Structure formats: C-alpha cells, structure tokens
Amino acid sequence: MDADADTTDDLSRGLAAYVHAVATALDVPVEGTTCEVSDTATAYLALATRLASYPEHDLMLVWSEQHGWEAAVETEPGVVTEVIAYFGDEPLPEPEQVLAFVRAIVEGRDWGGSRPAFSTVDNRHELAARSSRYITGRNSYS
C-alpha cells in the first residue's frame, strides 16, 4: 500500500471519529451525519435548529478539507445551499468551538469568520494526524 492510500485510510478513520465528536457536542444523532474521504474530504451534520431569518429551511453544518466548517441553510431540493457563516482559519476546531460557532449563528451574533482556503495537498497528512486523536476503541466508525 502506498503512502497516499495510508493517508486516505487514516484520514477516513480520523474524520469519522472527529465528526462523531462534533456531533456529540451538538447533540446530533449519528443518523444526521455523513463524512467521506475520496478526491476531497467532506462531512455533513443536519441540525435540528432553524434560524429566525430562515424559518422554513433546515440548518446544517458542512465541512470540507478546503474550507473547514461552514453553516448553511437548505433552500430548495436540488438548489445550491446558502452559506450563512464560515468558522474561519482552523480546519479542525475543537468540538466545543464548533458548538460555540453554532450557538452564535442561532443567536444571530456575528461569528466573524471568513472563507478560508486550505491546501489539500499539504493539509491531508496534517488532517489525518490531527483527527487521529479522536479515534478510540468506542468511537472509531470506519
């Protein structure tokens, strides 16, 4: 197995465990989460909360290795989601920080994060190493 395949496998396991930790902090059931590592690494958390400014639309968190966490609303089926806020310059913030991000958005406070652009080539090895700390015997979901 080559090093890239090892990194993809490590990132898949680590990302699954990290997403589970974030979902636990946000009280999102496992059925409301997805994550995938292929050409790009992504994750999704469906939130039970709606925003006062979008009362008819579901709120969600989306994570990508290129931009980290962003909050968005699902507008219409088949239509691109509308991004409400970006976490900012930390690609793997602590689950409690993601919770604070969501609370700020729900409460209508300005989070102040901008859309970062992380290098996926340089970042994938670091993401695998950093997310691996969330892997334990009871929450390894690979």
PDB file of all heavy atoms in Angstrom, residues 5 7-8 17 42 50 66 91 108 110 126 133 139-140:
ATOM      1  N   ALA A   5      -2.467   6.118  -0.037  1.00  0.00           N
ATOM      2  CA  ALA A   5      -3.562   5.244   0.382  1.00  0.00           C
ATOM      3  C   ALA A   5      -3.605   5.167   1.904  1.00  0.00           C
ATOM      4  O   ALA A   5      -4.682   5.182   2.504  1.00  0.00           O
ATOM      5  CB  ALA A   5      -3.410   3.854  -0.226  1.00  0.00           C
ATOM      6  N   THR A   7      -2.610   7.499   3.986  1.00  0.00           N
ATOM      7  CA  THR A   7      -3.122   8.778   4.464  1.00  0.00           C
ATOM      8  C   THR A   7      -4.630   8.852   4.290  1.00  0.00           C
ATOM      9  O   THR A   7      -5.340   9.317   5.186  1.00  0.00           O
ATOM     10  CB  THR A   7      -2.445   9.944   3.718  1.00  0.00           C
ATOM     11  OG1 THR A   7      -1.048   9.897   3.981  1.00  0.00           O
ATOM     12  CG2 THR A   7      -2.991  11.285   4.175  1.00  0.00           C
ATOM     13  N   THR A   8      -5.160   8.394   3.161  1.00  0.00           N
ATOM     14  CA  THR A   8      -6.601   8.406   2.933  1.00  0.00           C
ATOM     15  C   THR A   8      -7.314   7.543   3.961  1.00  0.00           C
ATOM     16  O   THR A   8      -8.331   7.950   4.535  1.00  0.00           O
ATOM     17  CB  THR A   8      -6.931   7.935   1.501  1.00  0.00           C
ATOM     18  OG1 THR A   8      -6.332   8.854   0.582  1.00  0.00           O
ATOM     19  CG2 THR A   8      -8.431   7.879   1.265  1.00  0.00           C
ATOM     20  N   ALA A  17     -14.241   9.829  13.316  1.00  0.00           N
ATOM     21  CA  ALA A  17     -14.213   9.986  14.774  1.00  0.00           C
ATOM     22  C   ALA A  17     -14.374  11.455  15.164  1.00  0.00           C
ATOM     23  O   ALA A  17     -15.089  11.777  16.123  1.00  0.00           O
ATOM     24  CB  ALA A  17     -12.912   9.413  15.340  1.00  0.00           C
ATOM     25  N   THR A  42     -15.042  15.436   3.021  1.00  0.00           N
ATOM     26  CA  THR A  42     -16.202  16.257   3.358  1.00  0.00           C
ATOM     27  C   THR A  42     -16.978  15.625   4.504  1.00  0.00           C
ATOM     28  O   THR A  42     -16.875  14.428   4.750  1.00  0.00           O
ATOM     29  CB  THR A  42     -17.153  16.410   2.153  1.00  0.00           C
ATOM     30  OG1 THR A  42     -17.578  15.115   1.731  1.00  0.00           O
ATOM     31  CG2 THR A  42     -16.478  17.134   0.994  1.00  0.00           C
ATOM     32  N   ARG A  50     -33.558  25.764  13.513  1.00  0.00           N
ATOM     33  CA  ARG A  50     -33.776  26.637  12.359  1.00  0.00           C
ATOM     34  C   ARG A  50     -33.477  28.064  12.783  1.00  0.00           C
ATOM     35  O   ARG A  50     -33.578  28.409  13.958  1.00  0.00           O
ATOM     36  CB  ARG A  50     -35.208  26.513  11.854  1.00  0.00           C
ATOM     37  CG  ARG A  50     -35.450  25.144  11.259  1.00  0.00           C
ATOM     38  CD  ARG A  50     -36.731  25.059  10.517  1.00  0.00           C
ATOM     39  NE  ARG A  50     -36.819  23.728   9.893  1.00  0.00           N
ATOM     40  CZ  ARG A  50     -37.619  23.443   8.921  1.00  0.00           C
ATOM     41  NH1 ARG A  50     -38.428  24.367   8.436  1.00  0.00           N
ATOM     42  NH2 ARG A  50     -37.636  22.236   8.413  1.00  0.00           N
ATOM     43  N   GLN A  66     -11.012  21.789   2.159  1.00  0.00           N
ATOM     44  CA  GLN A  66     -10.605  23.051   1.544  1.00  0.00           C
ATOM     45  C   GLN A  66     -11.017  24.272   2.366  1.00  0.00           C
ATOM     46  O   GLN A  66     -10.337  25.283   2.350  1.00  0.00           O
ATOM     47  CB  GLN A  66     -11.222  23.225   0.143  1.00  0.00           C
ATOM     48  CG  GLN A  66     -10.728  22.263  -0.876  1.00  0.00           C
ATOM     49  CD  GLN A  66     -11.604  21.013  -0.938  1.00  0.00           C
ATOM     50  OE1 GLN A  66     -12.593  20.883  -0.234  1.00  0.00           O
ATOM     51  NE2 GLN A  66     -11.223  20.082  -1.785  1.00  0.00           N
ATOM     52  N   PRO A  91      -8.989  24.457  10.499  1.00  0.00           N
ATOM     53  CA  PRO A  91      -9.703  23.394   9.775  1.00  0.00           C
ATOM     54  C   PRO A  91     -10.361  22.350  10.681  1.00  0.00           C
ATOM     55  O   PRO A  91     -11.385  21.782  10.317  1.00  0.00           O
ATOM     56  CB  PRO A  91      -8.632  22.759   8.900  1.00  0.00           C
ATOM     57  CG  PRO A  91      -7.344  23.098   9.559  1.00  0.00           C
ATOM     58  CD  PRO A  91      -7.550  24.408  10.249  1.00  0.00           C
ATOM     59  N   GLY A 108     -27.929  34.800  16.314  1.00  0.00           N
ATOM     60  CA  GLY A 108     -27.827  35.972  15.443  1.00  0.00           C
ATOM     61  C   GLY A 108     -26.602  36.827  15.674  1.00  0.00           C
ATOM     62  O   GLY A 108     -26.527  37.961  15.210  1.00  0.00           O
ATOM     63  N   ASP A 110     -22.640  37.832  15.138  1.00  0.00           N
ATOM     64  CA  ASP A 110     -21.650  37.740  14.066  1.00  0.00           C
ATOM     65  C   ASP A 110     -20.456  36.927  14.558  1.00  0.00           C
ATOM     66  O   ASP A 110     -19.839  37.269  15.565  1.00  0.00           O
ATOM     67  CB  ASP A 110     -21.197  39.142  13.651  1.00  0.00           C
ATOM     68  CG  ASP A 110     -20.175  39.103  12.528  1.00  0.00           C
ATOM     69  OD1 ASP A 110     -20.155  38.127  11.748  1.00  0.00           O
ATOM     70  OD2 ASP A 110     -19.380  40.058  12.437  1.00  0.00           O
ATOM     71  N   GLU A 126      -1.601  16.396   7.563  1.00  0.00           N
ATOM     72  CA  GLU A 126      -1.814  17.052   8.854  1.00  0.00           C
ATOM     73  C   GLU A 126      -3.214  16.760   9.390  1.00  0.00           C
ATOM     74  O   GLU A 126      -3.389  16.495  10.577  1.00  0.00           O
ATOM     75  CB  GLU A 126      -1.617  18.563   8.729  1.00  0.00           C
ATOM     76  CG  GLU A 126      -1.824  19.285  10.040  1.00  0.00           C
ATOM     77  CD  GLU A 126      -1.699  20.796   9.922  1.00  0.00           C
ATOM     78  OE1 GLU A 126      -1.216  21.297   8.896  1.00  0.00           O
ATOM     79  OE2 GLU A 126      -2.111  21.460  10.884  1.00  0.00           O
ATOM     80  N   ARG A 133      -6.470  11.768  16.889  1.00  0.00           N
ATOM     81  CA  ARG A 133      -6.611  11.800  18.348  1.00  0.00           C
ATOM     82  C   ARG A 133      -8.049  11.554  18.796  1.00  0.00           C
ATOM     83  O   ARG A 133      -8.297  11.254  19.956  1.00  0.00           O
ATOM     84  CB  ARG A 133      -6.077  13.095  18.930  1.00  0.00           C
ATOM     85  CG  ARG A 133      -6.941  14.303  18.708  1.00  0.00           C
ATOM     86  CD  ARG A 133      -6.212  15.540  19.253  1.00  0.00           C
ATOM     87  NE  ARG A 133      -7.057  16.697  19.271  1.00  0.00           N
ATOM     88  CZ  ARG A 133      -7.750  17.110  20.328  1.00  0.00           C
ATOM     89  NH1 ARG A 133      -7.686  16.457  21.458  1.00  0.00           N
ATOM     90  NH2 ARG A 133      -8.499  18.184  20.255  1.00  0.00           N
ATOM     91  N   ASN A 139     -15.303   4.883  19.570  1.00  0.00           N
ATOM     92  CA  ASN A 139     -15.881   5.780  18.582  1.00  0.00           C
ATOM     93  C   ASN A 139     -15.161   5.745  17.240  1.00  0.00           C
ATOM     94  O   ASN A 139     -15.197   6.699  16.500  1.00  0.00           O
ATOM     95  CB  ASN A 139     -15.990   7.222  19.108  1.00  0.00           C
ATOM     96  CG  ASN A 139     -14.654   7.908  19.251  1.00  0.00           C
ATOM     97  OD1 ASN A 139     -13.613   7.310  19.034  1.00  0.00           O
ATOM     98  ND2 ASN A 139     -14.683   9.168  19.607  1.00  0.00           N
ATOM     99  N   SER A 140     -14.535   4.670  16.914  1.00  0.00           N
ATOM    100  CA  SER A 140     -13.930   4.519  15.612  1.00  0.00           C
ATOM    101  C   SER A 140     -14.984   3.973  14.653  1.00  0.00           C
ATOM    102  O   SER A 140     -15.386   2.826  14.749  1.00  0.00           O
ATOM    103  CB  SER A 140     -12.734   3.559  15.689  1.00  0.00           C
ATOM    104  OG  SER A 140     -12.136   3.424  14.435  1.00  0.00           O
TER     105      SER A 140
END
